[in-house]
Amino acid sequence: MTSSKLRGRSRRAGPQVSVRVVLAVLGGATGIAWLVLPGMTTGTDAPVAITGPASASPAAARAEDGTSTAADLVLPLVAAGAAGALAGYGYVRRVRRARTRTTPGGSTPSPPRTEPGPPDDRSRAALVAADDRVRAARDELGFPRMLFGAEAVAPFAGALREAEGELAAAFRMRQRYDDGVPEDPAARRQALAGIVGRCAEAERRLDAAADSFGRLRGLEQGVGEALGVAEARFRELTGRTAAAEAVLGELRERYAATASASVTGYVEQAKDRLVFATVRLNQARQADDSGHPEEAARHLRTAEGAVAQAAVLVEAVERTAAELREAAGLIPAALTGAEAELAPLRDTGGEAVAHVLHADGVLSSVRRELTSDRPYDPVDMLRRVVRGISPPVSGQAGVLAAAARLTARSSTASAADFVATHRGAVGAAARTRLAEAQRLLAAGDSAGADALALEARALAEQDVRLQGNPYTPAPPVSDASRPTPTAGTAGAVLGGILPADDPENAHPAGFTGRPGASETPPV
């Protein structure tokens, strides 16, 4: 299509160029004629008689002759200028027609998907800030639930669900905006304002529950029981981290490298979060014992955030191992189901022939890999089978639909884990694709969810590579009044637990927010 448009433009441009060339040649020829004519009246030929007053003096004759010579020089310039003006006028008309033409040869370009500038930046920053706060509140809610029970935290769980609903609506608006909907510039500006408004409403729902939540926890009156819950959770995860390390080693031996690539480094990151949590838990206990409850509460909340992220990292390894086992067991049935899907199409013609040939090639490749005694990636193998047959004739039922749900669930969870534990550097685009993948997965669109989840993970990894860790430790100083950075602070900042500008004196956002925070979230 592009090449045809270019050819069309070349054909239309040809006559326009020819007109400009003709105009220029005519102007040049006219100028040459005016220059040559005066020379043709000199020499031995008799001059052309000019009617004039008989009493003209020689001086007047000389003045008149000079005037004639000046006119002879000016006229060619005027003619050439006129020709150039005509050519320029033709070019301007052609450019204007090309810009306003609505025919297939030169359609008006559609509005860009995003309009760089403050409104767009504000909407993306609002999404990141609201998403960070909702995630922190979700992590924070788990600890009082373990201490007081589900019934006691039910009102706050409801507030969190309301905030999640507002945020999901904002992400849905952003996804449509990125897809070019709406197209009208004014409507797109309104959509950006709507996104900011939804994010503000999500945070307002948490603000409304903040005071009651603080009273339930009662950390300012003492962290004793809450500290005990966090320490118990810490000890549990310490043991599970060691087990996850062994599981990850088994995955590397049994499957291809790509099978466990999504959780590579997660055990080390979990250990880093736990080291950070150890220091903060100790600081919380010391502050509580010395009669500084506010400081103890701040350290405890920070430790809880680190423990929660360590749990995400460990559970990601455990879940990946389970998914690989499930996928490996499903592959033979998926191959059989794929053959059953292709059977009705083998005797038909038209486009079905190409589809069957492509599917046969995919299935043959999978079988060869499966019987080669070399390590393979079961989830990726299932994805190839599903995509090779897509769309399945049997719809949402059958083994292929189950395989599609497994691959989509795996990729969506993988992206969610990465964003949750690296959100200090992950921008709005990756979070938006993840939210849309989660929505599609819940709606039963496994293919769409899988594709968007893979895109979300790739965008999130790109953000981390390009932005790096937002925390840069200050150089050592001799001032004893300045706190020494806690071990694991860089990981806590990368994980979005603490802001990069003041990690030693801040706490996770959560229900109470993070008053006075000045850091700019990644967009």
Side-chain angles (χ1 to χ4, degrees):
M1 181 176 293
T2 302
S3 60
S4 66
K5 288 183 179 180
L6 291 175
R7 289 194 298 270
R9 290 172 185 164
S10 299
R11 287 194 296 268
R12 286 190 296 272
Q16 302 291 342
V17 174
S18 300
V19 169
R20 293 200 304 274
V21 171
V22 169
L23 290 173
V25 170
L26 287 175
T30 303
I32 293 173
W34 280 103
L35 289 171
V36 171
L37 283 175
M40 294 176 63
T41 64
T42 60
T44 58
D45 295 337
V48 178
I50 301 177
T51 304
S55 62
S57 65
R62 285 193 300 271
E64 180 182 346
D65 188 49
T67 303
S68 174
T69 302
D72 289 343
L73 292 176
V74 169
L75 287 174
L77 296 176
V78 171
L86 288 172
Y89 174 71
Y91 173 76
V92 170
R93 288 192 62 194
R94 183 180 70 84
V95 170
R96 287 178 177 173
R97 285 198 302 271
R99 289 178 177 173
T100 59
R101 187 183 295 125
T102 56
T103 58
S107 58
T108 302
S110 59
R113 292 177 181 264
T114 59
E115 288 81 21
D120 188 38
D121 290 346
R122 284 195 295 270
S123 72
R124 289 184 280 127
L127 281 169
V128 171
D131 188 44
D132 280 348
R133 187 167 175 193
V134 167
R135 290 175 181 275
R138 191 183 300 133
D139 291 343
E140 185 179 20
L141 187 62
F143 290 92
R145 180 185 286 116
M146 287 185 283
L147 179 60
F148 302 111
E151 185 177 353
V153 301
F156 311 108
L160 178 59
R161 283 193 300 271
E162 291 174 356
E164 290 172 337
E166 295 291 340
L167 182 60
F171 274 126
R172 179 64 182 139
M173 293 171 67
R174 181 71 209 197
Q175 180 64 48
R176 288 170 56 82
Y177 181 91
D178 290 346
D179 291 338
V181 179
E183 295 184 356
D184 179 68
R188 288 176 70 77
R189 289 192 294 271
Q190 292 177 355
L192 292 176
I195 292 170
V196 174
R198 289 281 193 171
C199 292
E201 182 61 19
E203 296 206 52
R204 192 194 68 78
R205 300 297 176 96
L206 297 177
D207 289 337
D211 290 342
S212 298
F213 186 73
R215 286 193 294 271
L216 172 69
R217 300 211 68 184
L219 298 182
E220 282 70 19
Q221 286 72 48
V223 298
E225 291 184 339
L227 182 59
V229 170
E231 289 174 337
R233 181 66 167 155
F234 167 84
R235 288 190 294 270
E236 175 201 347
L237 283 169
T238 300
R240 287 174 61 188
T241 301
E245 188 169 21
V247 169
L248 189 56
E250 293 174 0
L251 296 181
R252 291 168 178 163
E253 292 178 0
R254 183 172 183 179
Y255 301 110
T258 56
S260 58
S262 64
V263 292
T264 297
Y266 275 20
V267 171
E268 289 73 17
Q269 292 181 50
K271 292 179 179 178
D272 183 72
R273 300 296 194 278
L274 291 175
V275 167
F276 178 81
T278 300
V279 178
R280 288 305 174 97
L281 288 171
N282 289 334
Q283 290 175 334
R285 185 167 293 282
Q286 292 170 3
D288 189 56
D289 292 342
S290 60
H292 297 89
E294 292 185 0
E295 181 182 351
R298 174 168 54 84
H299 288 313
L300 175 60
R301 292 184 62 194
T302 304
E304 289 173 343
V307 169
Q309 283 204 5
V312 172
L313 294 162
V314 170
E315 289 166 3
V317 175
E318 297 169 345
R319 188 199 65 252
T320 299
E323 290 170 349
L324 291 171
R325 288 193 299 270
E326 183 180 357
L330 194 56
I331 289 173
L335 290 171
T336 303
E339 291 292 350
E341 291 281 348
L342 294 176
L345 303 177
R346 294 192 182 279
D347 297 331
T348 61
E351 296 181 358
V353 175
H355 176 66
V356 170
L357 289 175
H358 171 72
D360 283 340
V362 171
L363 298 181
S364 298
S365 173
V366 168
R367 288 193 182 93
R368 286 194 301 270
E369 188 173 341
L370 193 61
T371 58
S372 66
D373 293 331
R374 292 195 302 269
Y376 62 92
D377 182 345
V379 173
D380 181 67
M381 189 173 285
L382 269 187
R383 180 176 288 114
R384 288 157 54 193
V385 172
V386 169
R387 290 182 175 180
I389 304 301
S390 180
V393 178
S394 59
Q396 295 299 316
V399 65
L400 288 181
R405 286 193 295 271
L406 173 58
T407 57
R409 192 173 70 243
S410 174
S411 59
T412 303
S414 171
D417 293 338
F418 189 88
V419 171
T421 54
H422 298 78
R423 62 180 185 258
V426 175
R431 300 174 192 237
T432 301
R433 302 301 176 271
L434 171 60
E436 184 67 4
Q438 292 169 329
R439 188 188 71 84
L440 293 177
L441 183 64
D445 184 357
S446 298
D450 186 48
L452 278 173
L454 293 174
E455 181 183 355
R457 174 73 187 246
L459 287 172
E461 291 179 349
Q462 176 179 281
D463 286 342
V464 173
R465 286 195 303 269
L466 294 179
Q467 182 164 325
N469 194 318
Y471 173 68
T472 302
V477 294
S478 57
D479 186 1
S481 64
R482 293 183 58 180
T484 302
T486 304
T489 297
V493 172
L494 179 61
I497 301 169
L498 295 173
D501 56 351
D502 189 16
E504 295 302 321
N505 297 305
H507 58 72
F511 277 91
T512 59
R514 189 183 286 150
S518 61
E519 79 277 8
T520 301
V523 294

